[in-house]
């Protein structure tokens, strides 16, 4: 068929109806879930490596000499509560309550930063006790596993802070909630990874 | 057909949105799935020619006993680079490139869901591949075999840079592959044409969907394994340091948890291609479409549960060996089902013997032979006898080369008219096909026998008088024949590009949506959003009686385009982000941490630029009567 | 969640409270261990509790409970594959170790300290076909390495691909080693899996062991069984015969010469070479050197330590400095190590004065020390060698 074609810039989103989609799932959210499914294998490999090398270190220090369960419990709790704030933040944005959205998002980022603070403290403490990535297999696998998790948390904090700053520059409305939602999904995923790490790395050591 | 120059708003960005439509800039910044698909296909073919050259040298060295063409050191590098290139840089990207080009066309979409992510996927793959190849000039290529077993890759055993190139290059190109796979999943779930339910999706697209899932589950363990070796080599961790109590076998596990799914990642798109070619040239719909899909899904799941059959001889114990031997047998079942479905499709069809179907038939025979030796190798007792011999080499070349490569050559002939608007010569094509296939079997069939006689793989030479001369000589001569075949194909491609007969939309009388639009397709793919109400929608339009459906009206989809067709804007960021990663890896390799940090910061900058730039682009309107803003 | 079916805030609060309580319970279980629970149940409880937490976060915070099934499908298929894969993988590493550590002969070693390297690699299958050598051995390491790393440094590079008949080829580079194997694998028995010299270790150790047990005339058998060491072992055996006959001390404790040679050839030869000459600059010689060490005060124990725990650090032998790494071989059986050491001390030199062949008990006694490769190096320093 012959047709007149013309084109113009994709200016505002409002000018055009959203393009046809064969499912109700927003593209970005679907992408995030697919990414998380993939990330399970990523952390699975790291945790698998840790477990495969558990109790195979030839020289100390060993996990039992170093782990401080009360401290780690507190940092686990902090991360769990940050997840809680995350859902509150999403809830607020969906209600178009920008004030609360900013408050809770700042709270999540803050709690995430506290968790990172705990991790830095823990790492320096371990380093003083003689554990390094060169010391033994425990050091190597532990630092890389929890370090990778820490990097994920850091990325999450940066992401949330960026969203927070963006909300001051561009207005954020309930219909933009999906962008917060995917950040939230990522954040919760980092949280559930920590739930696994807390059990199989820390707690099991003392049973 | 009118094409209007897009006008693009610029809002004080760091980079203005590029708008080139020709020249290098247009290719560096393109987000068009067809251009990226072509880039993928061309790069993959280039890498394949390099790998074929390496294979040629290997065969030449083994022509007669005690040849001295290649010294042992270079021989190690050659077989390593041959394997790495074929698996990671040639055949797998060929599948992904075909997916890039034809998945949106087959499902009636205008592009992938995330066009810039797609561009990033291509560039990081291409730059990663280039990076590995620079190793030839920077102190020697990797020489550790394509699976690079630890502790051979440790710094004390392998102080050169070759291993670093292997690790970094494959690590970053793996990131690209994973990103593209996620993109393809979202595209196939979300961007199918109206009316195209999952059970009306063409088989090629289905196989790409399954392949993409396998990619996202298989690549992370490999990425972790690479990271562990990189950390060992660059920062002195102990992941594979035996002296610290580490177990190098962990590398084998992580590698093969990736490595076996990888086999199916390579072969599934090939299955898809065959499932397109055979029905088209048998003029008969695919036999057992749902079973075909189901067996594909089964292969996907089973593929994750067979990895230790590569490790039968590492002493994992009878329990583990038995379990994985059983799963390896079971995975033969869905594959067998597919073979019979293809035969069932051809049975009773009116077959046209074009070049693509010659490749398809060659594929069926070759792949079945490879499958049979695969079942043999799934027995740990037999595997213990022939492990690491040429028997294994012959087996996986029958599967990867005969399976994937032959079907991709078929795909080249099949889709060439769609990509270029011109036909390749059928006569030359058939001659080349026969020579290639005979050459292929000439190379690899004798290797079965050499392997059974005990010739270990990866040896640089062998003594006379132990019964290997004949088989090696035959194999090398086969490689010459296949080389001639490949050159003929290349000539045919050039001939097709310059003098090929021009063709219309549907030169093969095909069945799926990509043949509905012009050849080559315009940048917006379809003028009217296609609407679908059956499998094989184009066939249904041409032969509604045969399909027992009333096809939708040709302009039924116009209402979906009421707002105009959105064409995403070009962008510099994907290319820049990939370049930042590549230079960061070079910096890490040469222990230049300051440069690495600079590259890291630049990468973060590109990510923010990417995020805040937005998808951009413009809308195209086709209906002159309609208002456009 | 775009369908507007949102979980209410009160649900979130309740979920958060439950999560907090569960975390405290987990903490309490570990911090105040309950004797009546036992460690098995405690671990079970901990895992169960963390699964509950995991599922609650996924269901309520990530909204999978009310959201589109596609997400659940994608995520749970990923979780399923990941769980199955890595539980399987971890089991392959942990179970053999658990089985091994319950065996009596390893208990003592384990009690001696955390740092016992060999218990980890112990074999379930017993009977000489130990797991560990196969693991290490299945890498194509040695053959490839000796080609790629050594070939360039070797003074006579050309010789590395100058094929010589198998019999005398042992000292050649990797290419010839492989060639030699072609020979071996071409014949009937053909373990066939290996491009590398160490490769066939596991199977061949087993083969050799049984062969040796059956008869001491392995020398004649060997040619037919065609494992690559066999001719070598035969040669070795015949070469030693007169020496052994002369030495009266050897009669005191008998040891299996063929077996010693087999263990050496399967595990040590790749680096130290068949003639014990080593490779100058890379791997120290044993010939003419091991006997000196043995003669030194404490040398007998030191040699056992070096094979059991490895050796890391610079050493000087015959005026040449070596700074490589000797891997620990503790995963081999005591008797294997004893015979290999005896082979090293008798194959190329006259036996040291007062030579007491090692027996399995000697090695077992050294095992209990649980040294690191660095400790062994320190020990070497105290021997007062030049």
């Amino acid at each position: 068929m012959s047709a007149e074609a013309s084109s113009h810039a994709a200016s505002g989103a409002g000018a055009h109806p959203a393009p046809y989609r064969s499912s109700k799932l927003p593209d970005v959210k679907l992408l995030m879930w697919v990414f998380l499914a993939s990330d399970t294998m990523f952390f699975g490999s790291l945790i698998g490596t840790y477990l495969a090398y558990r109790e195979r270190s030839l020289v100390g220090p060993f996990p039992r000499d170093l782990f401080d369960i009360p401290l780690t419990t507190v940092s686990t709790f902090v991360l769990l509560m940050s997840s809680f704030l995350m859902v509150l933040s999403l809830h607020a944005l969906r209600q178009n309550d920008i004030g609360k959205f900013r408050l809770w998002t700042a709270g999540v980022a803050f709690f995430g930063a506290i968790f990172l603070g705990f991790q830095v403290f823990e790492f320096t403490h371990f380093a003083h006790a003689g554990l390094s990535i060169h010391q033994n297999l425990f050091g190597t696998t532990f630092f890389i596993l929890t370090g990778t998790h820490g990097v994920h948390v850091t990325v999450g904090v940066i992401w949330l802070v960026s969203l927070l700053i963006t909300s001051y520059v561009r207005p954020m409305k309930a219909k933009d909630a999906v962008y917060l939602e995917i950040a939230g999904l990522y954040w919760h995923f980092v949280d559930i990874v920590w739930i696994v790490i807390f059990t199989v790395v820390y707690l099991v050591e003392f049973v | 057909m009118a094409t209007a120059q897009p006008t693009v708003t610029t809002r004080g960005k760091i980079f203005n949105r590029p708008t080139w439509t020709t020249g290098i800039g247009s290719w560096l910044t393109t987000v068009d799935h067809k251009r990226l698909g072509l880039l993928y296909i061309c790069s993959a073919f280039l890498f394949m020619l390099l790998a074929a050259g390496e294979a040629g040298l290997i065969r030449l060295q083994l022509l007669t006993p005690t040849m001295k063409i290649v010294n042992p050191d270079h021989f190690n590098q050659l077989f390593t680079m041959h394997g790495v290139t074929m698996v990671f840089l040639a055949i797998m990207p060929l599948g992904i490139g075909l997916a890039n080009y034809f998945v949106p066309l087959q499902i009636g979409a205008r592009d992938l869901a995330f066009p810039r992510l797609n561009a990033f996927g291509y560039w990081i793959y291409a730059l990663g591949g280039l990076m590995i190849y620079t190793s030839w000039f920077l102190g020697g290529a990797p020489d550790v075999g394509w699976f690079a077993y630890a502790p051979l890759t440790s710094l004390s055993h392998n102080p050169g840079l070759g291993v670093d190139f292997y690790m970094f290059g494959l690590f970053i190109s793996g990131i690209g592959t994973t990103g593209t796979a996620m993109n393809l999943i979202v595209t196939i779930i979300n961007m199918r044409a109206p009316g195209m339910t999952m059970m009306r999706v063409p088989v090629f697209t289905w196989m790409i969907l399954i392949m993409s899932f396998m990619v996202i589950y298989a690549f992370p363990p490999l990425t972790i394994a690479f990271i562990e070796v990189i950390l060992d080599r660059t920062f002195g961790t102990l992941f594979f340091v035996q002296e610290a109590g580490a177990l190098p076998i962990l590398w084998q596990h992580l590698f093969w948890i990736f490595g076996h799914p990888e086999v199916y990642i390579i072969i599934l798109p090939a299955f898809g291609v065959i499932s397109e070619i055979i029905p088209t040239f048998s003029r008969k719909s695919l036999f057992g479409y749902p079973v075909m899909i189901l067996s594909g899904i089964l292969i996907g799941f089973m593929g994750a549960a067979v990895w230790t059959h590569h490790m039968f001889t590492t002493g994992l114990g009878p329990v583990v060996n038995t379990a994985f031997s059983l799963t390896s047998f079971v995975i033969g079942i869905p594959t067998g089902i597919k073979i019979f479905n293809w035969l069932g499709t051809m049975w009773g069809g009116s077959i046209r013997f074009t070049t693509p179907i010659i490749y398809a038939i060659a594929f069926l025979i070759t792949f079945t032979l490879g499958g049979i030796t695969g079942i043999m190798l799934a027995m740990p007792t037999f595997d213990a006898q022939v492990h690491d011999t040429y028997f294994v080499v012959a087996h996986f070349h029958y599967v990867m080369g005969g399976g994937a490569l032959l079907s991709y050559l078929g795909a080249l002939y099949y889709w060439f008219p769609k990509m270029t608007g011109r036909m390749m010569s059928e006569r030359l094509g058939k001659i080349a096909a026969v020579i290639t296939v005979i050459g292929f079997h000439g190379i690899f069939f004798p290797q079965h026998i050499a392997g059974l006689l005990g010739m270990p793989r990866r040896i640089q030479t062998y003594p006379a008088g132990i019964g290997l001369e004949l088989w090696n000589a035959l194999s090398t001569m086969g490689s010459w024949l296949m080389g001639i075949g490949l050159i003929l194909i290349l000539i045919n491609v050039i001939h097709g590009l310059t003098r090929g007969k021009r063709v219309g939309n549907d030169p093969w009388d095909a069945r799926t949506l990509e043949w509905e639009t012009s050849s080559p397709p315009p940048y917006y793919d379809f003028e009217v959003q296609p609407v679908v109400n059956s499998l094989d929608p184009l066939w249904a339009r041409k032969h509604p009686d045969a399909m027992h459906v009333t096809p939708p009206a040709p302009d039924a989809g116009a209402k979906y385009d009421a707002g105009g067709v959105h064409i995403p804007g070009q962008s510099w960021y994907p290319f820049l982000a990939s370049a930042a990663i590549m230079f960061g890896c070079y910096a890490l390799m040469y222990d230049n941490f300051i440069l690495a940090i600079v590259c890291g910061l630049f990468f973060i900058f590109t990510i923010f630029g990417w995020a805040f730039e937005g998808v951009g682009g413009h809308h195209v309107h086709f209906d002159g009567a309609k208002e456009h803003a | 969640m775009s369908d507007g079916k949102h979980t209410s805030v009160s649900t979130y609060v309740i979920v958060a409270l439950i999560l907090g309580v569960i975390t405290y319970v987990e903490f309490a279980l570990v911090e105040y261990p309950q004797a009546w629970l036992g460690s098995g149940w405690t671990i079970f409880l901990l895992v169960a509790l963390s699964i509950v937490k995991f599922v609650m976060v996924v269901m309520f915070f990530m909204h999978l409970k009310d959201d589109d099934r596609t997400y659940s499908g994608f995520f749970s298929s990923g979780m399923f594959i990941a769980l199955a894969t890595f539980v399987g993988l971890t089991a392959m590493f942990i179970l053999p170790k658990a089985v091994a550590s319950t065996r009596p002969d390893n208990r003592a070693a384990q009690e001696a300290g955390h740092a016992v390297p060999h218990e980890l690699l112990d074999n379930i299958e017993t009977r000489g076909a130990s797991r560990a050598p196969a693991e290490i051995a299945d890498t194509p390491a040695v053959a490839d390495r000796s080609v790629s790393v050594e070939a360039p440094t070797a003074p006579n590079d050309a010789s590395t691909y100058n094929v010589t008949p198998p019999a005398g080829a042992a000292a050649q580079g990797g290419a010839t080693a492989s060639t030699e194997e072609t020979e071996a694998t071409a014949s009937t028995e053909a373990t066939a899996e290996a491009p590398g010299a160490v490769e066939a270790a596991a199977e061949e150790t087993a083969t050799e062991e049984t062969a040796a047990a059956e008869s001491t005339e392995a020398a004649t058998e060997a040619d037919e069984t065609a494992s690559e060491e066999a001719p070598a072992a035969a040669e070795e055996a015949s070469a030693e015969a007169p020496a052994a006959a002369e030495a009266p001390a050897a009669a005191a404790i008998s040891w299996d010469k063929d077996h010693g040679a087999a263990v050496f050839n399967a595990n040590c030869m790749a680096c130290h070479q068949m003639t014990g000459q080593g490779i100058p600059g890379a791997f120290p010689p044993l010939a003419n050197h091991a006997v000196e060490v043995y003669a030194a005060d404490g040398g007998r124990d030191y040699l056992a330590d070096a094979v059991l725990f490895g050796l890391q650090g610079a050493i000087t032998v015959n005026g040449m400095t070596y700074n490589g790494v000797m891997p620990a071989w503790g995963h081999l059986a005591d008797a294997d190590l004893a015979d290999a050491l005896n082979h090293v001390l008798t194959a190329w030199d006259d036996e040291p004065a007062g030579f007491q062949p090692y027996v399995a008990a000697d090695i077992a006694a050294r095992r209990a020390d649980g040294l690191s490769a660095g400790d062994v190096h320190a020990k070497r320093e105290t021997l007062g060698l030049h």
Side-chain angles (χ1 to χ4, degrees):
Chain A
M1 70 183 271
S2 77
E4 289 286 310
S6 67
S7 65
H8 61 90
S11 40
H16 295 275
Y20 173 79
R21 282 293 182 266
S22 45
S23 84
K24 279 192 227 139
L25 321 173
D27 288 356
V28 283
K29 193 173 162 190
L30 192 56
L31 182 74
M32 180 46 73
W33 273 110
V34 172
F35 168 75
L36 295 184
S38 170
D39 227 20
T40 56
M41 287 298 280
F42 191 81
F43 276 106
S45 311
L46 281 168
I47 295 172
T49 304
Y50 180 87
L51 290 179
Y53 283 166
R54 196 167 163 257
E55 292 182 3
R56 284 180 199 269
S57 296
L58 301 182
V59 291
F62 300 103
R64 269 171 178 253
D65 313 338
L66 296 178
F67 284 162
D68 183 352
I69 292 296
L71 180 93
T72 316
T73 309
V74 173
S75 73
T76 306
F77 187 74
V78 167
L79 200 59
L80 274 175
M81 288 308 111
S82 77
S83 257
F84 171 57
L85 293 185
M86 189 72 236
V87 284
L88 291 187
S89 158
L90 180 62
H91 191 77
L93 186 60
R94 283 196 175 130
Q95 312 287 331
N96 253 330
D97 189 344
I98 299 299
K100 273 196 181 151
F101 151 71
R102 285 177 181 154
L103 176 67
W104 297 136
T105 309
V108 180
F110 180 65
F111 273 34
I114 292 182
F115 176 83
L116 287 173
F118 272 115
Q119 200 163 34
V120 170
F121 172 78
E122 189 187 33
F123 279 16
T124 36
H125 171 69
F126 287 7
H128 284 305
L131 190 71
S132 72
I133 53 171
H134 322 289
Q135 177 64 20
N136 55 16
L137 285 177
F138 165 60
T140 293
T141 52
F142 173 81
F143 278 124
I144 302 305
L145 170 59
T146 52
T148 309
H149 180 265
V151 169
H152 274 69
V153 176
T154 314
V155 169
V157 170
I158 294 173
W159 190 349
L160 289 169
V161 170
S162 311
L163 279 175
L164 196 60
I165 295 171
T166 313
S167 81
Y168 288 95
V169 182
R170 292 181 198 171
M172 240 175 139
K173 301 223 174 61
K175 67 180 177 52
D176 302 320
V178 70
Y179 294 104
L180 182 66
E181 192 181 358
I182 59 168
L185 287 176
Y186 174 84
W187 189 263
H188 296 309
F189 181 77
V190 171
D191 187 17
I192 56 178
V193 169
W194 186 256
I195 290 175
V196 176
I197 292 179
F198 180 55
T199 304
V200 302
V201 173
Y202 287 89
L203 293 180
V204 168
E205 208 57 57
F206 289 89
V207 174
Chain B
M1 181 176 316
T3 48
Q5 280 304 308
T7 55
V8 172
T9 48
T10 52
R11 290 194 296 185
K13 299 278 165 49
I14 303 160
F15 295 111
N16 289 340
R17 288 303 281 243
T19 54
W20 296 292
T21 50
T22 53
I24 291 183
S26 72
W27 288 93
L28 288 180
T29 60
T30 187
V31 293
D32 182 345
H33 73 98
K34 296 175 293 298
R35 286 187 157 210
L36 288 166
L38 283 179
L39 283 173
Y40 258 117
I41 293 167
C42 294
S43 326
F45 260 102
L46 273 181
F47 279 122
M48 201 176 79
L49 290 179
L50 287 172
E54 284 152 5
L57 277 175
I58 293 173
R59 277 319 322 166
L60 210 58
Q61 163 66 24
L62 294 172
L63 173 62
T64 60
T66 64
M67 290 276 271
K68 289 183 190 174
I69 292 172
V70 184
N71 71 36
D73 201 20
H74 284 140
F75 190 83
N76 288 347
Q77 299 178 17
L78 280 176
F79 71 67
T80 304
M81 289 302 281
H82 168 72
V84 168
T85 311
M86 278 296 189
V87 172
F88 290 99
L89 306 178
I91 299 188
M92 186 172 64
L94 257 183
I96 290 176
L98 289 173
N100 238 297
Y101 203 107
F102 290 106
V103 162
L105 288 171
Q106 284 200 326
I107 62 175
R110 262 64 180 250
D111 207 323
L112 291 185
F114 301 95
R116 287 174 298 163
L117 180 59
N118 192 22
F120 174 74
Y122 169 73
W123 286 112
I124 194 86
Y125 143 72
L127 294 179
L130 269 183
M131 185 172 158
I132 298 178
Y133 264 84
T134 56
S135 65
W136 282 114
F137 312 106
L138 297 173
D143 54 2
V144 286
W146 83 277
F147 40 59
Y149 278 174
L152 188 53
T153 48
S154 69
L155 204 54
S156 53
H157 290 156
N158 213 326
L161 279 175
V163 176
D164 294 297
F165 276 107
Y166 171 97
M167 295 291 162
F168 280 106
L170 294 186
F171 167 52
I172 66 176
S173 70
I175 296 174
T177 311
T178 319
T180 306
M182 293 176 186
N183 203 347
L184 284 166
I185 292 174
V186 177
T187 306
I188 296 171
I189 301 291
N190 263 359
M191 298 180 70
R192 283 164 287 133
M196 186 180 273
T197 59
M198 282 316 279
M199 290 319 267
R200 290 175 189 160
V201 168
V203 181
F204 175 71
T205 302
W206 250 113
M207 293 303 130
I208 293 294
L209 180 64
I210 298 164
M211 175 210 81
S212 304
F213 271 105
M214 299 194 76
V215 167
I216 66 166
Y217 296 140
F219 269 76
L222 182 73
T223 309
I224 292 293
F226 286 155
I227 290 175
E228 288 176 352
V229 173
I230 289 170
L231 288 171
D232 270 9
R233 290 178 66 90
T234 311
F235 298 103
T237 55
L238 307 170
F239 283 109
F240 301 111
V241 179
Q242 278 162 295
E243 293 75 33
L247 306 176
I249 198 170
L250 181 69
W251 166 273
Q252 295 192 30
H253 278 291
L254 290 177
F255 188 89
W256 290 118
I257 286 173
F258 152 80
H260 200 83
E262 169 74 5
V263 174
Y264 292 96
I265 289 167
I266 285 174
I267 204 71
L268 280 175
F271 287 173
V273 167
I274 296 299
S275 306
E276 298 296 324
I277 291 177
I278 288 186
T280 300
F281 295 104
S282 305
R283 273 177 282 194
K284 194 161 162 275
S285 62
L286 186 69
F287 179 77
Y289 170 88
V291 183
M292 218 52 171
I293 305 302
L294 202 68
S295 55
I297 295 173
L298 253 172
I299 288 176
F301 270 98
M302 297 294 305
V306 295
W307 83 87
T308 69
H309 71 205
H310 298 268
M311 302 161 61
F312 278 154
T313 56
T314 58
L316 292 170
V319 179
V320 175
N321 281 359
T322 312
F324 281 92
S325 169
L326 283 177
T327 54
S328 307
F329 283 132
V330 172
I331 203 168
I333 296 173
T335 318
I337 290 173
K338 279 177 175 293
I339 302 273
F340 281 104
N341 278 355
W342 288 317
L343 294 177
T345 309
M346 291 167 77
W347 186 265
S350 48
I351 300 172
R352 284 174 292 162
F353 278 99
T354 55
T355 317
I357 204 162
I358 290 178
Y359 278 109
I361 293 167
F363 161 88
L364 284 179
I365 295 166
T366 318
F367 186 75
T368 307
L369 285 174
I372 288 169
T373 50
I375 293 292
M376 292 164 77
L377 287 168
M379 290 182 272
T381 41
F382 181 76
D383 184 72
Q385 291 297 312
V386 296
H387 184 78
D388 261 341
T389 67
Y390 262 85
F391 190 83
V392 176
V393 174
H395 158 69
F396 70 72
H397 279 93
Y398 262 68
V399 176
M400 308 266 237
L405 184 60
L406 290 183
S407 59
Y408 289 147
L409 289 177
L412 174 72
Y413 283 94
Y414 180 60
W415 276 320
F416 189 83
K418 180 49 64 182
M419 293 191 281
T420 61
R422 290 166 183 272
M423 288 292 269
M424 278 156 79
S425 157
E426 270 293 301
R427 211 170 58 127
L428 184 55
K430 281 176 195 161
I431 296 169
V434 171
I435 293 179
T436 310
V437 172
I438 293 175
F440 177 87
H441 284 267
I443 301 174
F444 295 110
F445 197 82
Q447 294 187 358
H448 287 113
I449 299 161
L452 288 174
L453 289 174
M455 179 172 174
R457 66 195 279 199
R458 296 180 170 169
I459 53 165
Q460 177 253 355
T461 190
Y462 52 95
I466 54 173
L468 297 177
E469 291 96 330
L470 173 66
W471 310 115
N472 278 293
L474 282 178
S475 183
T476 303
M477 289 171 201
S479 76
W480 296 337
L481 205 57
M482 191 167 174
I484 294 170
L486 287 177
I487 290 168
L488 287 180
I489 291 170
L490 214 60
I491 292 171
N492 205 351
V493 168
I494 294 165
H495 174 265
L497 281 175
T498 51
R499 305 211 184 140
K501 189 169 61 108
R502 288 190 182 276
V503 288
N505 293 0
D506 184 18
W508 300 121
D509 193 15
R511 318 175 70 87
T512 42
L513 278 180
E514 75 264 32
W515 302 101
E516 201 170 70
T517 186
S518 61
S519 310
Y523 66 93
Y524 42 80
D525 284 4
F526 297 96
E527 280 185 18
V528 181
Q529 171 70 56
V531 178
V532 169
N533 67 353
S534 69
L535 198 59
D536 295 344
L538 184 60
W539 191 256
R541 173 148 300 151
K542 290 184 289 192
H543 308 276
D545 312 336
M547 296 286 286
H548 310 292
V549 290
T550 319
D555 58 349
K559 64 174 186 231
Y560 297 101
D561 294 337
V565 177
H566 177 236
I567 303 297
Q570 285 159 257
S571 173
W572 273 111
Y573 290 109
F575 177 71
L576 291 177
S578 324
I581 293 178
M582 181 184 74
F583 285 114
C585 289
Y586 271 115
L588 279 179
M589 221 183 293
Y590 287 96
D591 292 338
N592 189 338
F593 295 109
I594 296 170
L595 183 59
I597 290 168
V598 170
C599 289
L601 291 175
F602 185 70
F603 174 70
I604 293 170
F605 157 74
T606 58
I607 293 300
F608 273 94
W610 183 332
F612 287 101
E613 163 189 67
V615 70
H618 59 281
H619 284 78
V620 184
H621 293 266
F622 298 103
D623 191 351
K626 217 162 253 168
E627 300 256 335
H628 43 80
Chain C
M1 277 304 285
S2 43
D3 53 359
K5 198 177 155 199
H6 297 161
T7 319
S8 67
V9 173
S10 55
T11 319
Y12 293 144
V13 175
I14 294 169
V15 171
L17 277 176
I18 296 174
L19 290 173
V21 170
I22 292 179
T23 308
Y24 179 76
V25 172
E26 289 180 327
F27 163 75
L29 271 174
V30 170
E31 205 66 7
Y32 315 107
Q34 303 294 316
W36 53 270
L37 260 178
S39 65
W41 279 105
T42 313
I43 289 182
F44 175 78
L45 265 180
L46 285 176
V47 171
L49 285 174
S50 69
I51 291 174
V52 171
K53 275 163 73 178
F54 188 100
V55 171
M56 284 185 81
V57 171
V58 173
M59 284 298 175
F60 292 97
F61 285 178
M62 295 167 94
H63 303 116
L64 270 192
K65 190 168 77 69
D66 305 317
D67 217 335
D68 196 284
R69 289 280 166 264
T70 315
Y71 300 131
S72 324
F74 285 3
F75 186 65
S76 47
S77 70
M79 277 309 298
F80 173 74
I81 292 179
L83 256 181
T85 306
F86 292 106
V87 167
L89 174 71
T90 312
M92 277 183 235
F93 280 90
I94 287 181
L95 288 184
K97 192 176 141 196
V99 172
S101 65
T102 54
R103 282 168 40 194
D105 55 331
N106 276 303
R107 281 253 178 78
Q110 217 177 19
E111 277 156 20
H114 237 298
V116 187
H118 47 85
E119 42 125 352
L120 25 117
L121 297 167
D122 212 335
N123 46 323
I124 336 177
E125 298 102 295
T126 63
R127 295 289 302 147
S130 90
R131 215 166 87 79
E135 281 171 5
I136 299 158
D138 195 67
T139 68
V142 179
D144 287 3
R145 185 198 320 156
S146 51
V147 175
S148 59
V149 179
E150 283 153 25
T153 55
N156 49 347
D157 196 10
S159 75
T160 47
Y161 56 102
N162 188 5
V163 176
T164 42
Q172 299 274 350
T176 38
S178 306
T179 314
E180 200 183 349
E181 223 163 49
T182 314
E183 192 82 353
T185 45
S187 55
T188 48
E189 223 252 19
T191 332
E193 20 166 350
V198 179
E199 294 299 312
E203 282 78 1
E204 267 160 24
T205 313
T207 325
E208 293 291 331
E209 224 174 6
T210 34
E214 278 166 45
S215 70
T216 41
E217 15 111 354
T220 45
E221 290 267 325
D223 284 322
E224 284 129 62
T225 47
S227 59
E228 72 181 294
E229 296 87 354
E235 242 175 33
E236 224 59 69
S238 53
E240 281 159 25
E246 282 162 30
I253 303 164
S254 70
W255 59 279
D256 188 337
K257 283 187 196 304
D258 296 329
H259 181 54
V263 174
F264 178 86
N265 290 343
N267 297 294
C268 321
M269 186 190 77
C271 294
H272 294 294
Q273 306 301 308
M274 186 177 268
T275 50
Q277 297 300 323
I279 292 180
F283 307 110
L286 299 176
N288 274 325
H289 177 62
V291 283
E292 274 174 24
V293 178
Y294 185 91
D297 197 16
R300 190 168 191 275
D301 287 350
Y302 161 78
L303 284 178
D305 289 339
V307 293
L308 274 168
F309 310 116
L311 175 64
Q312 181 158 27
I315 61 170
T316 309
V317 180
N318 299 338
M320 186 173 267
T321 305
Y322 295 86
N323 200 357
V325 174
M326 162 95 169
W329 297 96
H331 50 268
L332 296 178
D334 292 339
D336 292 348
L337 291 177
D339 283 353
L341 279 170
N342 293 333
H343 172 78
V344 166
L345 289 167
T346 55
W348 315 292
D349 306 301
D350 291 339
E351 280 172 14
F355 175 58
Q356 286 281 325
Y358 288 90
V359 293
D362 296 337
I363 306 294
R366 301 309 310 157
R367 232 182 236 287
D369 276 11
L371 302 180
S372 75
D375 295 342
V376 177
H377 183 252
K379 198 163 178 178
R380 184 186 170 95
E381 305 284 284
T382 65
L383 290 181
L385 293 164
H386 46 83

